[in-house]
C-alpha cells in the first residue's frame, strides 16, 4: 500500500479511529489516545490538526465536560458511506443462523425467531414486518370436516402464511360435498394474488350448484375475511431491553424512543425506505423522519425473493452503534428469511 496518504484520507482515518474508540468505550476520544492506539504513522500534532479541521467541518464535536471529541451524526454518516468492507459473518455464525431459522414450523415462528436472532447478534432492538399480502398468492385452501356441520378452513399462501378458521355450515355436509367444495375453491383461487382471490371468492356462490349454494355462501364469507386481513401491518419487535442497557446514549429521550417503538406506524415508516431485497438503508439520528427517533440510528433492509419484496426488517439503536457488525447481521438474517419464505 505504498504512496503518500492524502490529507483527506488521513483525516478520514482519524475520524474512523474516533468512531471505533467511542463506540467501544463510550468515552470522548483525545488525540493522545488515537496516537497511542491506532497506528496512523503521524505525529500527535498532525492528529490534533486533523481533529480541529474535522470539528470545523461538523464531523466531530466536543462534549462540554471533556477534552476529547465524539462523532456527530454527520461524522457517522461519512463513516457509514465509506464502509466498503463490511466484515461478513463467519461460517459458524452463518450456519448457526441457518439452522436456527430452518427449525421454524410456520411463518409466525420464522418471524419470532428472526427477531430474537437479530436482537442477539446486534444487541439492539430488532424489528421485522410480516410479509406484505399484496405480493402473496394463494398456494392452497384445505377444508377439513370437524363435525358434519362444521369445517376447518386452512388458507396457505406462497409466503408460508397459514390462516385457520372455523366455518359453521348450519347444515350437515357429506364427505363427497366437502371434496367438491375443496376442488371448487382451489380451482378458483390457486395461484391468484390475495386481492384478486378475494374478488373471485365473492362470485363463488353464484356459480355454485343449487344444493351447495348456502354452504358456499358461508364458506365464501369466512374466506374473504381471511384474504383481506392485512398482517403486513403487523410487526414483531424483540430486544427492547437492549435499549435500556444503553441509557447513557439517550440522556433525555429513552422513554420517547420506547413509546415511539410501540407505535407501529412509526416503525413501519422506518422500514418503508427498504425498496428492494438486499439493499441496506442506514438512517442516522437527525435523518429519521420521526422526531422521537432522532437520537437513534436505524439499519434496515428489504427481505424477499429475487423477484419479490416481502417486507422490511432491521435494528434500532443509539447512533453510537457498531455499524459494520449490525449491517452484516441484518443482511445475513434477511438473506436466510428470504430463502426460507421464497421456497
Amino acid at each position: 500500500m505504498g504512496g503518500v496518504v492524502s490529507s483527506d484520507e488521513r483525516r478520514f482515518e482519524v475520524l474512523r479511529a474516533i468512531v471505533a474508540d467511542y463506540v467501544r468505550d463510550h468515552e470522548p476520544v483525545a488525540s493522545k489516545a488515537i496516537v497511542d492506539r491506532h497506528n496512523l504513522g503521524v505525529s500527535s500534532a498532525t492528529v490534533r490538526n486533523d481533529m480541529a479541521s474535522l470539528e470545523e467541518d461538523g464531523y466531530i464535536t466536543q462534549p462540554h465536560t471533556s477534552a476529547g471529541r465524539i462523532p456527530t451524526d454527520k461524522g457517522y454518516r461519512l463513516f457509514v458511506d465509506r464502509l466498503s468492507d463490511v466484515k461478513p459473518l463467519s461460517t459458524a455464525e452463518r450456519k448457526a443462523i441457518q439452522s436456527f431459522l430452518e427449525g421454524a414450523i410456520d411463518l409466525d415462528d420464522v418471524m419470532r425467531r428472526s427477531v430474537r436472532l437479530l436482537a442477539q447478534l446486534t444487541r439492539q432492538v430488532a424489528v421485522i414486518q410480516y410479509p406484505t399480502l399484496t405480493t402473496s398468492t394463494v398456494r392452497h385452501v384445505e377444508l377439513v370436516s370437524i363435525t358434519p356441520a362444521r369445517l376447518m378452513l386452512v388458507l396457505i399462501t406462497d409466503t408460508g402464511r397459514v390462516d385457520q378458521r372455523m366455518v359453521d355450515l348450519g347444515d350437515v355436509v357429506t364427505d363427497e360435498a366437502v371434496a367438491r367444495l375443496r376442488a371448487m375453491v382451489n380451482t378458483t383461487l390457486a395461484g391468484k394474488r390475495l386481492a384478486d382471490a378475494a374478488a373471485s371468492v365473492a362470485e363463488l356462490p353464484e356459480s355454485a350448484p343449487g344444493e351447495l349454494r348456502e354452504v358456499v355462501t358461508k364458506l365464501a364469507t369466512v374466506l374473504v375475511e381471511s384474504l383481506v386481513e392485512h398482517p403486513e401491518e403487523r410487526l414483531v419487535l424483540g430486544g427492547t431491553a437492549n435499549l435500556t442497557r444503553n441509557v447513557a446514549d439517550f440522556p433525555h429521550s429513552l422513554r420517547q424512543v420506547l413509546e415511539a417503538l410501540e407505535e407501529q406506524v412509526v416503525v413501519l415508516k422506518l422500514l418503508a425506505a427498504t425498496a428492494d431485497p438486499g439493499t441496506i438503508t442506514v438512517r442516522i439520528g437527525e435523518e429519521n423522519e420521526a422526531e422521537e427517533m432522532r437520537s437513534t440510528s436505524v439499519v434496515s433492509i428489504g427481505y424477499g425473493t429475487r423477484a419479490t419484496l416481502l417486507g422490511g426488517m432491521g435494528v434500532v439503536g443509539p447512533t453510537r452503534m457498531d455499524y459494520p457488525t449490525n449491517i452484516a447481521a441484518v443482511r445475513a438474517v434477511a438473506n436466510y428469511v428470504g430463502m426460507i419464505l421464497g421456497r
Side-chain angles (χ1 to χ4, degrees):
M1 195 192 129
V4 178
V5 175
S6 73
S7 58
D8 271 359
E9 269 309 309
R10 197 189 59 236
R11 253 176 30 132
F12 180 68
E13 288 306 318
V14 171
L15 174 66
R16 192 149 69 178
I18 292 170
V19 169
D21 287 2
Y22 184 61
V23 166
R24 190 186 59 227
D25 304 327
H26 201 187
E27 292 292 337
V29 184
S31 57
K32 184 179 183 314
I34 293 176
V35 174
D36 292 347
R37 286 183 204 156
H38 299 268
N39 188 13
L40 299 181
V42 290
S43 70
S44 47
T46 306
V47 170
R48 275 198 302 277
N49 284 340
D50 286 342
M51 285 173 79
S53 99
L54 284 167
E55 187 166 11
E56 205 172 300
D57 291 345
Y59 293 110
I60 59 176
T61 185
Q62 180 173 20
H64 54 111
T65 53
S66 159
R69 303 291 184 278
I70 64 172
T72 59
D73 288 356
K74 185 179 173 185
Y76 284 125
R77 170 47 61 197
L78 180 64
F79 171 77
V80 168
D81 288 347
R82 296 277 302 268
L83 266 184
S84 49
D85 51 339
V86 169
K87 175 179 70 73
L89 299 183
S90 69
T91 313
E93 284 172 316
R94 287 205 304 274
K95 277 214 171 93
I97 292 175
Q98 191 173 1
S99 62
F100 184 60
L101 292 179
E102 297 251 322
I105 48 175
D106 58 17
L107 179 65
D108 292 329
D109 201 17
V110 173
M111 299 287 112
R112 278 194 301 270
R113 284 173 181 240
S114 306
V115 143
R116 217 159 70 221
L117 198 56
L118 254 189
Q120 277 167 4
L121 288 168
T122 61
R123 308 189 65 184
Q124 310 294 348
V125 178
V127 189
I128 186 165
Q129 177 187 15
Y130 263 73
T132 332
L133 276 190
T134 44
T135 58
S136 302
T137 58
V138 177
R139 186 181 281 168
H140 183 67
V141 179
E142 190 48 69
L143 298 176
V144 183
S145 291
I146 302 298
T147 69
R150 197 167 200 225
L151 292 180
M152 180 165 72
L153 181 152
V154 185
L155 172 76
I156 302 162
T157 69
D158 63 338
T159 50
R161 176 178 162 229
V162 178
D163 200 359
Q164 297 184 357
R165 286 168 193 258
M166 288 300 175
V167 189
D168 285 309
L169 301 172
D171 206 350
V172 171
V173 181
T174 63
D175 286 350
E176 185 230 350
V178 172
R180 279 169 70 195
L181 287 169
R182 187 186 297 117
M184 201 159 77
V185 169
N186 279 297
T187 308
T188 311
L189 301 188
K192 281 195 175 155
R193 292 204 156 193
L194 266 59
D196 304 334
S200 308
V201 165
E203 291 161 15
L204 262 179
E206 290 164 35
S207 55
E211 71 278 13
L212 286 179
R213 189 159 295 161
E214 211 170 304
V215 169
V216 170
T217 306
K218 293 211 160 117
L219 192 60
T221 314
V222 175
L223 244 179
V224 167
E225 277 173 23
S226 215
L227 291 165
V228 298
E229 271 197 355
H230 293 296
E232 70 261 34
E233 305 299 319
R234 280 169 62 194
L235 293 164
V236 191
L237 247 76
T240 335
N242 287 331
L243 276 187
T244 52
R245 253 198 14 253
N246 299 323
V247 177
D249 285 307
F250 306 100
H252 312 296
S253 56
L254 182 61
R255 196 166 134 229
Q256 274 181 310
V257 172
L258 289 168
E259 282 170 4
L261 284 174
E262 280 174 20
E263 281 186 48
Q264 303 240 338
V265 183
V266 173
V267 185
L268 280 166
K269 269 194 180 152
L270 295 177
L271 297 179
T274 48
D276 53 344
T279 304
I280 288 269
T281 306
V282 181
R283 289 209 193 132
I284 298 166
E286 293 293 323
E287 296 167 359
N288 285 306
E289 203 180 305
E291 208 171 308
E292 316 89 315
M293 302 304 283
R294 290 192 182 151
S295 57
T296 72
S297 282
V298 181
V299 177
S300 59
I301 194 169
Y303 70 88
T305 59
R306 200 168 292 150
T308 314
L309 175 73
L310 294 174
M313 69 167 70
V315 296
V316 180
T319 51
R320 182 191 69 90
M321 66 161 63
D322 180 348
Y323 291 96
T325 299
N326 291 348
I327 289 170
V330 166
R331 187 177 280 152
V333 174
N335 266 341
Y336 285 115
V337 172
M339 270 163 41
I340 287 166
L341 296 184
R343 283 179 189 154

